[in-house]
Amino acid sequence: MALATAHLRIARPTNNLDALLPFYCNGLGFEMLGSFPEHEGFSGIMLGHKSAGYHLEFTQKSGHDAGRAPTQDNLLVFYLPDGASFAQAVTQMEQQGFAVVRSFNPYWDRCGKSFEDPDGYRVSATPVRHKRVSCPSPVPVMETKHRGTNSKVCLILLTAVAAAVGVEGQETGYHIDWPRWCGKVYQDGYPSFDPGGQTLAPSPAANGPLVHVQFQPRYSLYLESEKHGEVVVNAALSPYHGKPWPSTNTTSSTSGRANSLIFSINLVEDDAILVQNTVAINSTGNVFRFDLSRLKPSLEPIKMVLYGAPEGGRPTWTATSSLFFLPEKTNGSVTRIDNFNGGLFFRNAASGHKFQPLLPHGFYASYDGFLGNNSTSEIQNYADLGLNSMTPLTIYRDSGPAFAYMDKINLKFMYNLREGYRNLTYVREQVLAAKDAEAIYSYWGTDEPDGWQDPFDAPSLARDLIRQLDPYHPVAITLNCQNYHFAKYSAGGDIIMEDVYPIGINSTWSKWHTACNATLGDCGCDNCQGNVQDVPNRLDDYAAYESWLGLWPKTKAHNPQSFHGEDYWLRDPSVDEELVMNALALNHGAQALVSWVWPASAPLGAAHGAMAKVVAASPVVDFLVGGDRPHPVAAESAGSGAGVVDAAYWVVGKKMLVSVVNGGYVDISGTVAVAVPNAIGIASTPWGDVGWRLQDSKLTVPVLPALATSMVILDLR
């Protein structure tokens, strides 16, 4: 019909045209498109944008009282395309002297901000880009995940308001004017194309294998009160990175260092030596101590360089890194990353200012229906389940008492910056509000920038500012895509979270009436099979990309699926599926479990709480966080089905933790066996009710039930 393509004018009377101009032009950024004086007794102005499909008209008639807005719920609502443009619009209004007002309908306070013009009429701004179902839009055509909509008027409004607030940066990839997710077009009526941005294995070096030398400080930060630091040095053989090791006649070496790299780690500033030693070729995880007293505490990173060579002196290797040696922090918490295994260590007043292993296990927590209730008892009930952390989907300005209560009960939290991370003024304000909290363990800097195809540098710019303002806490980033510009987007975080949500999806055909594959479509889980194996596969993918790129592995986290909806996910995971995905994530290196979204169903909440009581507490956390990285081990079975059994172990001293998962939906009959070298006895079974027995250095069980998870601690000889 003709109205579908009509230009829209929204007209209303006023008593003072001039009084409206600062609000709509200076605050909202509208332009004067036209005006008329005393036309048949009326004067008027038209405000808007030349390229937009709508504009506003205000008229004034001499001698006529137009009156004020009849209610506080007379609104113009502008849906901004993402959190960054929303935050920028709010900041611009506030800088022009227009304060946020409390809405008559509380929805607009939960999901946006409202301002009142001189006549009492209100303008509300809210971001379209809400993640999943935390804050659903009341407008049916507005999708919570994608930019696509069937309403041309809504598209016109989005374009016009984006222009009004000056959204910066351009989406990445090809065909940026098409509806895309992870670089791929997802709506019907568009041709598929290769989205690009894939991380692929390089061609092996012709003269390989090569020796790839890397080093990092053991911990991401040290404090002035500490006397010693450590570095971790790797000299791994790689088909892709490094230099070939020279041929060596081991019988002619008198030092016994023929296949060792002799190295020195120096400070870049003055060439002072921190460490001198050797590492065996094809070895990793070599830890060396150094004296911190020679360093001066600073909020800036201290640059280091490694020089290495074989005994003959040629060829030479050089590698660089940096460390934080920070002034002592007397208020609030501190979190550091163990670069040896990716684990988190946390300290605050409740820990006596001593670092303790932390495996965050909790939920993203909605404002709507939870934190917005301003109920400390609801937060306490959440913690009483056994959950040790939360990622509140709110900020201090709106939920100060909730954050204060989390400090009080030592419920660790990750602070959410995602709504406005591209507005660095917003980032600064939020970091300064949160950085000295007792319970903060990390910032959530960016949410799915790869899916939204945000500018490549946006996550890193936010991370750099956060680190400048608060070097005492790491920054997490959520990646959604299976393989879309991994290196560029992951550079914006110290912790990489994957939000693989595979349960209840149609992995081959989308709600947008397109197929889902590597070049087309979005089925809610990028390039997924639609089962629990998608979780370890994604973690393994990210680890492979880091190896191919020659990067030191970053800390990984898993975002468990505890929801359904949006026409992508037809059901919640079952309790067993949820526990299996959690255990698989831990087996494949995840160091945090942050589930979307709370409030969740009672069974899933209870299941996460029960598991958190085990994996986030001693003795299990001492292996998962305090030990080395997980060692995968193959399972054997006298029957069929062993291929879906996933097992890993961690060693600390004379103890071994073994985690075994049946990732299949049927029992595995016939003895299942998992090799556990040097084990001499079962010390305890902290998780699961599988009846494992130890026989000939193997854990065995006659039948491994479907979707079973278990953890066993063994004594070693």
Side-chain angles (χ1 to χ4, degrees):
M1 58 187 294
L3 290 178
T5 57
H7 185 98
L8 177 67
R9 171 182 288 186
I10 301 171
R12 78 152 210 259
T14 180
N15 287 333
N16 193 335
L17 291 173
D18 291 338
L20 297 179
L21 292 176
F23 183 91
Y24 287 94
C25 294
N26 298 342
L28 292 175
F30 287 12
E31 303 172 22
M32 179 80 76
L33 299 179
S35 64
F36 55 90
E38 295 298 325
H39 177 71
E40 298 184 350
F42 287 85
S43 297
I45 55 176
M46 275 74 75
L47 306 178
H49 301 279
K50 293 183 177 66
S51 61
Y54 79 100
H55 68 269
L56 309 182
E57 180 189 51
F58 299 96
T59 60
Q60 181 176 351
K61 180 175 175 58
S62 178
H64 173 74
D65 183 10
R68 291 180 57 79
T71 74
Q72 293 179 333
D73 210 26
N74 285 72
L75 303 171
L76 284 176
V77 180
F78 293 101
Y79 285 87
L80 283 303
D82 56 29
S85 54
F86 165 73
Q88 188 172 0
V90 172
T91 298
Q92 181 169 323
M93 289 293 287
E94 291 176 334
Q95 289 175 346
Q96 293 298 321
F98 301 105
V100 173
V101 296
R102 185 174 295 278
S103 297
F104 179 76
N105 181 340
Y107 174 87
W108 300 114
D109 290 336
R110 291 195 298 271
C111 297
K113 301 295 179 185
S114 297
F115 301 86
E116 186 175 281
D117 78 9
D119 291 343
Y121 289 85
R122 295 188 171 190
V123 171
S124 290
T126 186
V128 173
R129 201 169 121 176
H130 295 298
K131 179 169 180 176
R132 307 301 184 227
V133 293
S134 169
C135 191
S137 169
V139 182
V141 297
M142 288 296 181
E143 297 297 334
T144 58
K145 178 177 178 182
H146 294 294
R147 303 175 194 271
T149 171
N150 293 325
S151 168
K152 293 185 179 180
V153 172
C154 287
L155 284 175
I156 290 168
L157 289 175
L158 289 176
T159 303
V161 177
V165 298
V167 177
E168 296 180 358
Q170 178 172 292
E171 291 183 12
T172 62
Y174 309 120
H175 303 294
I176 63 173
D177 55 332
W178 293 1
R180 299 172 305 130
W181 185 256
C182 294
K184 298 181 288 188
V185 67
Y186 61 82
Q187 284 191 7
D188 192 18
Y190 295 86
S192 66
F193 59 90
D194 184 346
Q198 297 92 348
T199 302
L200 304 174
S203 299
N207 56 349
L210 310 176
V211 176
H212 188 208
V213 177
Q214 298 171 290
F215 80 105
Q216 288 287 331
R218 170 68 185 268
Y219 297 107
S220 58
L221 63 86
Y222 291 92
L223 297 176
E224 186 177 5
S225 58
E226 298 180 271
K227 295 181 179 179
H228 297 98
E230 293 177 329
V231 291
V232 185
V233 181
N234 293 343
L237 292 179
S238 167
Y240 315 118
H241 305 286
K243 298 178 182 179
W245 189 252
S247 299
T248 306
N249 183 355
T250 57
T251 60
S252 65
S253 173
T254 59
S255 66
R257 300 186 296 185
N259 287 310
S260 296
L261 181 80
I262 304 168
F263 72 89
S264 170
I265 296 176
N266 298 21
L267 298 177
V268 170
E269 182 180 35
D270 58 8
D271 208 35
I273 296 174
L274 288 181
V275 176
Q276 279 185 322
N277 217 303
T278 65
V279 291
I281 298 305
N282 200 25
S283 68
T284 59
N286 303 286
V287 179
F288 302 94
R289 175 183 279 201
F290 64 91
D291 188 356
L292 285 169
S293 64
R294 67 183 69 184
L295 304 179
K296 182 179 179 180
S298 171
L299 296 177
E300 298 296 324
I302 299 171
K303 295 180 180 180
M304 303 180 292
V305 59
L306 178 149
Y307 303 106
E311 188 178 32
R314 291 288 185 274
T316 61
W317 277 259
T318 303
T320 59
S321 185
S322 62
L323 67 87
F324 276 98
F325 183 48
L326 299 174
E328 190 64 31
K329 196 171 194 295
T330 57
N331 56 332
S333 65
V334 181
T335 306
R336 65 185 183 188
I337 295 173
D338 184 352
N339 288 315
F340 180 76
N341 67 359
L344 303 179
F345 285 80
F346 177 89
R347 56 159 260 189
N348 63 2
S351 72
H353 299 288
K354 297 185 182 299
F355 283 106
Q356 297 177 343
L358 172 65
L359 194 150
H361 192 154
F363 283 79
Y364 297 96
S366 295
Y367 182 90
D368 188 12
F370 182 52
L371 294 173
N373 297 340
N374 298 314
S375 170
T376 57
S377 63
E378 291 185 28
I379 298 174
Q380 186 63 57
N381 291 340
Y382 170 98
D384 289 344
L385 289 172
L387 302 166
N388 72 343
S389 63
M390 181 188 292
T391 303
L393 299 176
T394 184
I395 57 176
Y396 266 91
R397 182 180 63 193
D398 299 330
S399 302
F403 287 106
Y405 191 73
M406 284 182 264
D407 282 344
K408 179 180 178 180
I409 66 173
N410 200 29
L411 180 64
K412 283 75 171 181
F413 66 83
M414 179 161 54
Y415 193 65
N416 168 31
L417 300 173
R418 68 180 183 128
E419 280 82 4
Y421 89 95
R422 288 170 61 181
N423 181 335
L424 298 184
T425 300
Y426 174 86
V427 171
R428 177 180 294 275
E429 292 171 351
Q430 297 308 313
V431 172
L432 293 178
K435 68 185 185 71
D436 292 326
E438 280 293 320
I440 184 174
Y441 76 88
S442 177
Y443 295 95
W444 184 26
T446 313
D447 182 31
E448 301 178 337
D450 53 346
W452 294 104
Q453 301 111 183
D454 284 349
F456 290 135
D457 62 349
S460 293
L461 289 173
R463 193 277 313 272
D464 291 348
L465 177 58
I466 297 167
R467 183 175 288 175
Q468 174 189 333
L469 298 170
D470 180 10
Y472 295 91
H473 298 98
V475 179
I477 182 173
T478 302
L479 298 184
N480 180 268
C481 305
Q482 185 261 337
N483 194 354
Y484 183 70
H485 293 287
F486 172 83
K488 293 177 179 178
Y489 285 119
S490 66
D494 307 303
I495 301 168
I496 301 174
M497 301 194 291
E498 49 79 7
D499 59 353
V500 171
Y501 302 142
I503 302 302
I505 67 168
N506 183 335
S507 63
T508 60
W509 187 258
S510 82
K511 69 175 185 177
W512 304 99
H513 309 296
T514 71
C516 288
N517 52 49
T519 62
L520 177 67
D522 171 26
C523 286
C525 189
D526 189 43
N527 295 340
C528 290
Q529 304 171 34
N531 58 49
V532 298
Q533 303 300 334
D534 288 315
V535 171
N537 289 347
R538 185 65 54 86
L539 289 166
D540 290 350
D541 286 342
Y542 287 173
Y545 302 158
E546 288 173 325
S547 175
W548 296 342
L549 294 164
L551 301 174
W552 193 279
K554 290 186 175 182
T555 298
K556 307 299 188 304
H558 170 50
N559 288 176
Q561 175 187 346
S562 295
F563 69 96
H564 68 278
E566 288 191 49
D567 295 328
Y568 287 111
W569 303 276
L570 299 182
R571 65 176 179 90
D572 284 358
S574 69
V575 166
D576 286 342
E577 287 172 323
E578 191 84 334
L579 295 175
V580 162
M581 290 187 287
N582 285 355
L584 288 171
L586 296 174
N587 284 7
H588 289 255
Q591 290 284 354
L593 299 170
V594 186
S595 187
W596 189 273
V597 59
W598 189 267
S601 71
L604 289 180
H608 276 286
M611 179 171 263
K613 289 179 181 179
V614 173
V615 301
S618 291
V620 174
V621 75
D622 302 318
F623 291 92
L624 298 179
V625 177
D628 52 1
R629 296 184 186 272
H631 299 271
V633 56
E636 305 169 358
S637 175
S640 61
V644 295
V645 178
D646 191 283
Y649 69 83
W650 299 254
V651 174
V652 175
K654 295 295 184 180
K655 299 283 187 180
M656 174 189 288
L657 171 71
V658 183
S659 170
V660 184
V661 181
N662 179 359
Y665 288 79
V666 297
D667 296 350
I668 299 177
S669 300
T671 299
V672 176
V674 177
V676 285
N678 299 316
I680 58 175
I682 295 177
S684 64
T685 304
W687 178 259
D689 55 7
V690 177
W692 293 104
R693 298 181 61 188
L694 181 63
Q695 297 177 325
D696 301 324
S697 295
K698 292 182 179 180
L699 282 175
T700 64
V701 66
V703 177
L704 187 60
L707 296 175
T709 56
S710 60
M711 294 183 180
V712 181
I713 295 178
L714 305 173
D715 294 315
L716 302 180
R717 65 171 57 93

